[in-house]
Amino acid sequence: MGDQKSRVNVHSVLTQVSSRPSASDETYPLTRLDHAMGHHTIHVIFYYEKSPFGSFDMDPIRVTLSEVLSSYPPVTGRLTRDDAGNWAVKCNDAGVRVLRARVGITLDEWLRSADGNEERDLTVWEDMPEVPNTWSPFRIQLNDFEGGGVAIGLSCTHMHGDLTSLILLFKAFSEAHHGQAITFPPFFKPPAPPDRKFSVNNSKSTSYLEAKLQKQTPSVKMSTATFKFSDSVVKQCLSEIHDKCPDASPFDLLAALFWIRVVHLKGPKHDDHTHSLSLCVDFRRLLQEPLPYGYFGNALNFSLLSLNEEEMDCSMLGRVAELVHCHVSGLKEEEFWATLHWLDLQKEEGGKYAPPFAMYGPEFTCVSMEHMIIGDQPVMYSMNFDSAKPVHVSCHVGNAEGEGLILVMPSAEAGLARTVMVTLPEEETAKLCEDQSILHLKPTMLLRSI
């Protein structure tokens, strides 16, 4: 699929500004964690069976978008450098780029026949130019399918925010469409560490980041596959590992399962018999003084879990799930502050932050989106347009290389159902899609790059 002519045809581009311009001299400095994420981009695609949009140039929904953007000045701003050479957003209301595209097949046909690489065509993938003062970091692409379906693709630099930020921006858009108040209003003030020092010497996260700086990420062709697991299957699997890990979450289970299977298909290591998994979690609600859920920026923590070959034995799913659970639940607030302090220590003379490096990779990386479930409702499937909710949501991280990336996300079915997006070197993706331990759980597979 990836080598064929794209079935997505972009036919118009416009710039959308906010309805209430920001103060021309207002700037938002990007944090040290924002700078660290600068190697990556983020992309979210919401699929709807029925398009809520008519002609976007005339439709009232464009007015709604303009209103929402007034609450998000950094989204319509442009990047600039401060006196130390660090990035800041100048809130000059230069607008966001909105693209309109046609897809030559129906939505159902697309989900069955498109591959993970072709799905990229539904959002904008563009590297930041060296001088980005007129460049729009945020893009929205409206993709109309034959028969009325639509995919809405949002993309931005990872410096500006994480996947949660981008998803909640779209949620605010859907709420404004219905004249509702924004459930999670944007909050732009970055987290301030408590008035005490945090040691970077004994921190799991900072020792991991220190080692990551020394590693080179190999460049290989990657591909993506999506697995959707039902509520009943996940519930059954959790009951089967209950004796080993009674408090396991769907994330613990699926992270362990895919880690074990990927280690199995990669084969034995010859130089090192340790297997490592980089775990990425959101820390908005994990601080003693939690960040508002609507915090717009990066609120992620990366830490490393390493197991030996005996612990990674294929028959020990419950044990590996328990170790994942203990690692994630055992993360303390001090880890997050130590990471931010470590990033401060990497500053160059004059106060300029160090260049970004690969946060997703080179180790096998697993991202938890469990925080996107409130109560038992998945936030990313609550974006309602004209009574229609998304039938599927995809998330991608740009420049995620190395051993691979897993995103464990909520699913449209809600409950314990989960969607797992896996990006691996191309040959490994094909093998994983035929792995009997995974197929035994009867996942629905979408957007397979094989």
Side-chain angles (χ1 to χ4, degrees):
M1 278 289 188
D3 296 328
Q4 296 180 10
K5 182 178 179 181
S6 175
R7 295 181 287 182
V8 181
N9 175 36
V10 176
H11 58 81
S12 68
V13 181
L14 57 85
T15 299
Q16 181 66 52
V17 298
S18 61
S19 60
R20 298 185 301 278
S22 305
S24 59
D25 59 347
E26 188 175 21
T27 60
Y28 285 89
L30 297 185
T31 69
R32 60 267 217 206
L33 184 54
D34 295 335
H35 279 80
M37 306 305 297
H39 183 67
H40 303 286
T41 56
I42 53 174
H43 310 259
V44 185
I45 304 167
F46 298 88
Y47 290 92
Y48 290 84
E49 289 182 334
K50 179 183 177 183
S51 173
F53 309 116
S55 170
F56 192 71
D57 296 297
M58 302 295 293
D59 201 292
I61 206 163
R62 186 176 173 189
V63 177
T64 301
L65 177 58
S66 181
E67 283 292 322
V68 169
L69 291 175
S70 298
S71 299
Y72 289 84
V75 173
T76 57
R78 295 294 183 265
L79 284 165
T80 186
R81 296 275 193 183
D82 65 15
D83 292 341
N86 294 319
W87 291 114
V89 179
K90 183 177 179 60
C91 299
N92 56 5
D93 196 37
V96 300
R97 297 284 188 267
V98 180
L99 296 80
R100 197 76 186 260
R102 295 189 184 92
V103 187
I105 57 174
T106 67
L107 173 58
D108 287 343
E109 289 173 323
W110 174 269
L111 292 174
R112 287 196 306 266
S113 66
D115 62 35
N117 290 336
E118 190 179 21
E119 189 184 37
R120 293 164 57 101
D121 293 340
L122 300 179
T123 66
V124 177
W125 294 71
E126 184 178 305
D127 291 332
M128 185 175 75
E130 288 189 20
V131 183
N133 57 314
T134 62
W135 178 74
S136 174
F138 286 81
R139 311 293 176 100
I140 302 172
Q141 184 168 319
L142 310 175
N143 305 276
D144 297 301
F145 291 92
E146 296 290 331
V150 68
I152 305 170
L154 285 73
S155 55
C156 69
T157 69
H158 212 322
M159 280 201 306
H160 281 75
D162 50 25
L163 287 169
T164 300
S165 301
L166 203 55
I167 290 167
L168 293 184
L169 169 63
F170 188 65
K171 180 173 174 59
F173 177 30
S174 71
E175 289 169 338
H177 175 64
H178 292 283
Q180 301 169 349
I182 298 176
T183 303
F184 305 109
F187 181 81
F188 301 105
K189 185 179 179 181
D195 294 330
R196 62 182 189 273
K197 291 186 181 292
F198 293 92
S199 172
V200 300
N201 296 325
N202 299 320
S203 166
K204 297 176 184 177
S205 300
T206 56
S207 59
Y208 163 48
L209 293 176
E210 189 78 56
K212 185 190 283 282
L213 271 177
Q214 314 304 321
K215 294 183 178 179
Q216 297 293 320
T217 303
S219 179
V220 297
K221 187 173 183 180
M222 309 292 279
S223 62
T224 301
T226 299
F227 302 81
K228 302 185 78 168
F229 297 92
S230 69
D231 173 82
S232 60
V233 163
V234 174
K235 189 176 297 182
Q236 175 63 31
C237 289
L238 288 173
S239 69
E240 291 173 358
I241 66 169
H242 183 268
D243 288 345
K244 290 288 186 183
C245 188
D247 297 322
S249 69
F251 172 77
D252 302 328
L253 168 73
L254 293 168
L257 172 65
F258 277 86
W259 186 18
I260 290 171
R261 301 319 302 163
V262 168
V263 165
H264 175 72
L265 67 87
K266 286 180 181 289
K269 288 187 171 184
H270 300 293
D271 54 342
D272 181 10
H273 299 294
T274 299
H275 300 283
S276 297
L277 178 67
S278 174
L279 288 157
C280 173
V281 299
D282 184 275
F283 65 76
R284 283 171 175 79
R285 299 293 177 88
L286 299 181
L287 303 180
Q288 189 171 350
E289 295 184 11
L291 271 175
Y293 200 61
Y295 172 66
F296 198 88
N298 284 286
L300 301 174
N301 185 75
F302 293 81
S303 59
L304 197 68
L305 172 61
S306 296
L307 304 180
N308 59 40
E309 287 189 341
E310 183 179 347
E311 290 172 312
M312 287 297 295
D313 185 277
C314 296
S315 63
M316 299 177 67
L317 174 60
R319 174 60 177 157
V320 176
E322 179 191 28
L323 293 169
V324 171
H325 173 79
C326 290
H327 180 92
V328 172
S329 61
L331 289 172
K332 304 299 182 184
E333 179 175 359
E334 285 73 13
E335 288 284 327
F336 310 133
W337 297 126
T339 296
L340 299 186
H341 181 50
W342 181 84
L343 289 170
D344 274 336
L345 294 177
Q346 309 312 306
K347 283 183 180 178
E348 300 172 0
E349 189 174 349
K352 186 177 181 181
Y353 290 116
F357 53 95
M359 297 295 285
Y360 301 89
E363 304 85 6
F364 193 47
T365 305
C366 188
V367 179
S368 171
M369 300 291 284
E370 293 292 293
H371 66 285
M372 294 302 294
I373 300 173
I374 297 181
D376 61 351
Q377 295 302 310
V379 174
M380 57 208 302
Y381 285 91
S382 65
M383 289 63 161
N384 187 334
F385 285 98
D386 297 336
S387 300
K389 293 184 178 181
V391 294
H392 179 63
V393 180
S394 288
C395 296
H396 295 268
V397 177
N399 295 320
E401 299 174 337
E403 293 188 14
L405 173 67
I406 310 174
L407 293 99
V408 181
M409 307 182 297
S411 201
E413 185 186 345
L416 298 177
R418 294 293 184 270
T419 297
V420 180
M421 293 190 66
V422 185
T423 300
L424 295 170
E426 198 168 49
E427 291 184 2
E428 296 175 7
T429 304
K431 293 178 182 178
L432 190 70
C433 289
E434 298 175 354
D435 186 278
Q436 292 304 308
S437 294
I438 292 176
L439 295 182
H440 175 70
L441 303 180
K442 297 181 172 57
T444 300
M445 284 193 281
L446 306 173
L447 303 162
R448 298 166 56 183
S449 303
I450 58 176

